[in-house]
Amino acid sequence: MAESADILTSDTQKVVLPDLAAGCSMADMATFDQVEEAWEALEDAGIADTVVPITYMNSSADIKAFCGRHGGAVCTSSNARRALEWAFEQGEKVLFLPDQHLGRNTAVLELGLSLDDCVVYNPHRPNGGLTEQQLRDAKMILWRGHCSVHGRFTAACVDEVRARIPGVNVLVHPECRHEVVLKADHIGSTEYIIKTLEQAPAGSSWAVGTELNLVKRLAARFPDKDVSFLDRTVCYCSTMNRIDLPHLVMSLESLAAGRVVNQITVDPDTTHWAKVALDRMLALP
């Protein structure tokens, strides 16, 4: 996110990340070299010209730039459907990075593709663990990546909360596993989750499958509703949680003293191609 901010802002603006260790485990699951090797596998299978790469916003600037160079775009959980519809207008197949669950859930539940249309590319196995024929037959080539928080939710979590809270509404993020979203009552982005709870009637019960800090804030914001975490096991996003008040204060005090600490900069070539991919997303209807 900090890299994207640097890419989209002007040269007169500086982007500061309060703690440089605050990365994203999902983004780390797709490195530039790995994605380059995957593209070579698609070229060997004779299908690279028909594949449009789409990367989730939770990815490195290198991966966004890769998508820009190869005719692809960036997406968020809010516009993943529009991004995939656009991609299929450009080509026959999509390489979706780095979150397999968002790609699968959007393709199957919103675009009407089947699970058989999807294959998972494992960067830690030769040729992604797939045959060339499997790559040729697939419409969605999903990168083997996931969110460490959303990936913890299971179908058993949904069954347990329904047994524990009669009449509960299960509301989950599309980064959750496919079997979880199939059991949920509502699926949507962070923005969708917030709006759904805003519009929910007083006295209703909700089990929310997304990052715990957001669930706690929503529970405090809507005391007239019963808002709880989908999993009984507490799990914060360890990297997101590194942006805390002490680091924020340190950054602000340094800026007030005329020192820019932990500035995030992206090199010009990566910036150019990543911005191409980001601009394609921003141009989506």
Side-chain angles (χ1 to χ4, degrees), residues 120-187:
V120 177
Y121 184 97
N122 184 345
H124 302 292
R125 297 182 62 186
N127 212 46
L130 300 167
T131 66
E132 290 188 353
Q133 191 58 51
Q134 285 176 306
L135 290 171
R136 294 189 193 105
D137 291 341
K139 292 183 179 179
M140 286 289 294
I141 303 167
L142 306 168
W143 194 262
R144 190 175 183 270
H146 65 276
C147 169
S148 58
V149 171
H150 292 91
R152 289 180 57 89
F153 299 122
T154 65
C157 293
V158 180
D159 294 338
E160 189 277 333
V161 79
R162 290 197 191 281
R164 178 163 47 90
I165 308 175
V168 68
N169 296 279
V170 178
L171 172 61
V172 302
H173 194 280
E175 287 179 26
C176 293
R177 300 169 186 263
H178 189 64
E179 58 268 26
V180 173
V181 302
L182 288 179
K183 281 179 168 282
D185 301 302
H186 307 271
I187 309 103

Side-chain angles (χ1 to χ4, degrees), residues 194-261:
I194 295 170
K195 287 184 176 180
T196 298
L197 289 177
E198 283 177 342
Q199 298 167 4
S204 56
S205 297
W206 297 83
V208 184
T210 194
E211 207 276 328
L212 182 54
N213 275 308
L214 175 60
V215 179
K216 290 178 68 176
R217 291 198 302 272
L218 292 173
R221 180 177 171 186
F222 303 115
D224 60 330
K225 300 152 194 175
D226 178 17
V227 179
S228 59
F229 194 52
L230 178 58
D231 189 355
R232 289 191 120 177
T233 302
V234 174
C235 181
Y236 291 96
C237 175
S238 59
T239 50
M240 190 186 302
N241 259 7
R242 291 182 182 275
I243 304 297
D244 54 16
L245 285 176
H247 283 91
L248 178 60
V249 170
M250 179 275 293
S251 300
L252 293 175
E253 288 179 342
S254 297
L255 291 172
R259 300 189 309 274
V260 179
V261 296

Side-chain angles (χ1 to χ4, degrees), residues 72-84:
V74 180
C75 77
T76 67
S77 56
S78 295
N79 65 18
R81 175 176 180 167
R82 295 198 298 277
L84 286 184

